[in-house]
Amino acid sequence: MSVRSPQVVQLAEAALDLVVPQECAGCAQPGRFWCRQCAAACAIRPTRVAEGIPVWAACEHAGPAGRGVVAFKDAGVRRMAGPLSMLLAGAVGAALGDAGTSRGSPVWLVPVPSRRSAVRARGSDHMSVLAGRAARVLRRAGVQANRCPGLEHVRASSDQVGLTRNQRIANVRGSLRALELPPGAVVIVDDVTTTGATVREAIRAMTRAGRSVDCAATVTWSPGARHRASATHWD
């Protein structure tokens, strides 16, 4: 099996842009799928969005990053995996530093799994993809990171869009179960922190299985998430 170099991938993408007109996932302007202005606007600015277990996000959801997440997750813009995984890796790095994790320790990025119906509709589990690519970014930086499918759904939950904070908590409560993980630091990763309900459920499942969570990281955080989460210790 041949391995494509970054140069070959860039040339292929450039050729595709010529054949199939692209628009930016962040601002919808014609040109590349992720324009320089949106990339600059989404420069990694890790932000701590919860007390207790360190939960960090790369940038705000309101703006190009949030639109990029939606484009990747729901509109099939697969090439957004690259920019989004870079953002996620930045958030993971900040969370690990905040947690005081030893640089030489194995790190397991545990993605929050998508609902089975969403995986069928999208053709893949978007967080599994981002976790795998973020782990590669971190390994290049010297972190012993790998993706590990450490969570699974044990009951159905509804789409969280439009739900209040309490409704989100009730919607996901008891929906996840932890799987066995190898020794090392555990980092829960997800696409966006809104109320913290999903990350909280992931931590609950891990704790119930006797496995501690070192920290959590998301690509984006929604306006108000820091304020809502600051009063709640997630440990």
Side-chain angles (χ1 to χ4, degrees):
M1 181 181 294
S2 62
V3 178
R4 293 179 297 176
S5 70
Q7 292 80 8
V8 171
V9 173
Q10 290 171 6
L11 287 173
E13 290 180 351
L16 180 61
D17 288 340
L18 290 174
V19 176
V20 181
Q22 302 290 307
E23 64 177 31
C24 175
C27 64
Q29 293 298 311
R32 291 186 57 79
F33 73 98
W34 192 235
C35 72
R36 292 180 180 179
Q37 289 78 11
C38 286
C42 295
I44 299 171
R45 303 178 184 89
T47 303
R48 201 180 206 274
V49 295
E51 302 301 323
I53 289 176
V55 182
W56 287 73
C59 53
E60 286 193 44
H61 192 75
R67 291 190 289 272
V69 167
V70 173
F72 173 67
K73 181 167 65 172
D74 296 326
V77 185
R78 298 305 178 199
R79 285 189 287 172
M80 280 305 300
L84 296 179
S85 62
M86 292 292 293
L87 292 173
L88 181 59
V92 170
L96 289 171
D98 192 8
T101 303
S102 171
R103 190 173 180 83
S105 301
V107 174
W108 303 105
L109 304 190
V110 179
V112 172
S114 297
R115 292 173 295 115
R116 294 185 181 92
S117 59
V119 173
R120 288 194 297 269
R122 297 167 183 158
S124 66
D125 187 323
H126 71 289
M127 277 314 304
S128 180
V129 173
L130 293 185
R133 295 191 62 154
R136 290 199 292 271
V137 173
L138 290 163
R139 287 198 298 272
R140 290 197 294 268
V143 179
Q144 296 183 41
N146 284 281
R147 173 185 59 195
C148 188
L151 294 165
E152 67 177 4
H153 283 280
V154 292
R155 71 163 181 83
S157 59
S158 303
D159 194 319
Q160 298 274 68
V161 176
L163 300 183
T164 66
R165 178 180 182 276
N166 289 337
Q167 288 172 334
R168 286 171 180 255
I169 292 172
N171 182 44
V172 299
R173 184 184 295 122
S175 64
L176 296 176
R177 176 173 60 197
L179 306 175
E180 187 175 351
L181 292 174
V186 175
V187 185
I188 303 297
V189 294
D190 203 2
D191 50 6
V192 55
T193 298
T194 303
T195 63
T198 304
V199 171
R200 184 181 291 108
E201 168 59 16
I203 293 171
R204 182 209 61 79
M206 285 289 179
T207 303
R208 184 174 184 180
R211 188 63 185 266
S212 62
V213 175
D214 293 77
C215 54
T218 64
V219 179
T220 65
W221 60 278
S222 68
R226 283 185 76 187
H227 175 73
R228 287 192 294 268
S230 63
T232 304
H233 288 262
W234 290 359
D235 50 359

